[in-house]
Amino acid sequence: VDSTVAFWESKGAKRLTPQAGKGSCFVGYGSYRDTEHFALELAPAPPDATLINTKLAFFGLSQLPEDKSSKSAPPSSLEEFMAARQKRMIAPGFDPQGLEARQVAGAPGDPLARICLLSDDLEASKAFYVGGLGMREVARSEEELCLRYEPLEGGLLDGVPTTLVFTSEGVAEAASSPGTEAFDHLAICCRDVLAARDFLDSKPETSNAVTMEPTKMFGTAILGLSDPNGLSIFLVEEDGFRNGV
């Protein structure tokens, strides 16, 4: 976990929680229990586990956020501006588990600009995430589907939230093999997991998605789902999460 935290710190992210013993740790570009910035939970793999990756294509990072607390004078020339910008560029790389982080073009917003997941059925993914989970399609090509939630009105995020990208490119190369998935799940906040369960049960595209009934844990209520690509999704009731109970 520590080496993975160091990798993300080299990409401008912050350790959001102290690692307790050999437990998990959160890293990201916002703050702990921030409901507007995406955060990564880094957890230790089971002893002697063989890690595999059949779910994630890459993490897409925009340039490092500017240090708004800096009192330095603004650049006096284009060359000085470009040099300062270059310092904030994020070098591509792979974390200790082999998961790729690459720089992508991104609008102002969460520096963790994209999470790109593998999918062999873009239409089913769209039906699940748009029809079931309320995301909005923002771009589409033959091989990619880009989805996003709207930013919270009056929220703290200055720009757009993380974009969830599904790609069919590379699916064949990521054929399943024995092992433990390095990318385990996605967690998404919602207001009421009971209402979410009833809504998902009522829609054909998500009626068989529930894998865990609403359960009290970690100070809040959580609903477990499986998306059309076999990825685990957890809907987390927002009030308990935000209040850190």
Side-chain angles (χ1 to χ4, degrees), residues 42 75 126 161 192 209:
L42 309 177
K126 176 181 175 180
D192 185 330

Side-chain angles (χ1 to χ4, degrees), residues 88-171:
R88 302 202 316 274
M89 301 293 274
I90 297 176
F94 292 84
D95 78 0
Q97 284 65 244
L99 302 182
E100 182 181 6
R102 66 173 69 162
Q103 183 156 5
V104 297
D110 194 330
L112 184 47
R114 301 181 197 173
I115 299 173
C116 187
L117 302 171
L118 298 170
S119 174
D120 59 3
D121 191 336
L122 297 182
E123 282 302 318
S125 295
K126 176 181 175 180
F128 179 88
Y129 285 92
V130 175
L133 299 187
M135 300 189 79
R136 180 172 63 92
E137 180 179 335
V138 294
R140 179 69 185 267
S141 69
E142 186 175 338
E143 294 184 332
E144 283 192 351
L145 169 68
C146 300
L147 308 173
R148 188 185 299 147
Y149 282 112
E150 296 289 349
L152 294 175
E153 185 175 348
L156 300 175
L157 182 63
D158 184 16
V160 298
T162 300
T163 300
L164 194 59
V165 181
F166 292 92
T167 179
S168 58
E169 185 178 357
V171 170

Side-chain angles (χ1 to χ4, degrees), residues 150-228:
E150 296 289 349
L152 294 175
E153 185 175 348
L156 300 175
L157 182 63
D158 184 16
V160 298
T162 300
T163 300
L164 194 59
V165 181
F166 292 92
T167 179
S168 58
E169 185 178 357
V171 170
E173 290 80 0
S176 182
S177 57
T180 301
E181 285 287 348
F183 188 81
D184 186 72
H185 66 270
L186 281 176
I188 300 172
C189 275
C190 72
R191 288 194 179 94
D192 185 330
V193 294
L194 289 173
R197 191 272 313 277
D198 292 343
F199 175 76
L200 293 168
D201 283 348
S202 72
K203 300 185 71 65
E205 58 267 38
T206 53
S207 59
N208 296 314
V210 173
T211 58
M212 183 184 75
E213 290 294 327
T215 303
K216 291 287 187 180
M217 59 175 68
F218 308 118
T220 189
I222 298 176
L223 173 68
L225 309 172
S226 179
D227 84 350

Side-chain angles (χ1 to χ4, degrees), residues 49-127:
T50 299
L51 293 180
I52 60 172
N53 177 32
T54 66
K55 306 297 184 188
L56 180 79
F58 63 86
F59 295 108
L61 307 178
S62 60
Q63 66 184 34
L64 290 173
E66 292 187 67
D67 181 4
K68 296 183 179 180
S69 66
S70 174
K71 303 298 183 182
S72 58
S76 59
S77 66
L78 176 61
E79 290 77 12
E80 188 175 328
F81 170 80
M82 294 303 292
R85 183 176 183 273
Q86 186 65 32
K87 287 182 179 179
R88 302 202 316 274
M89 301 293 274
I90 297 176
F94 292 84
D95 78 0
Q97 284 65 244
L99 302 182
E100 182 181 6
R102 66 173 69 162
Q103 183 156 5
V104 297
D110 194 330
L112 184 47
R114 301 181 197 173
I115 299 173
C116 187
L117 302 171
L118 298 170
S119 174
D120 59 3
D121 191 336
L122 297 182
E123 282 302 318
S125 295
K126 176 181 175 180

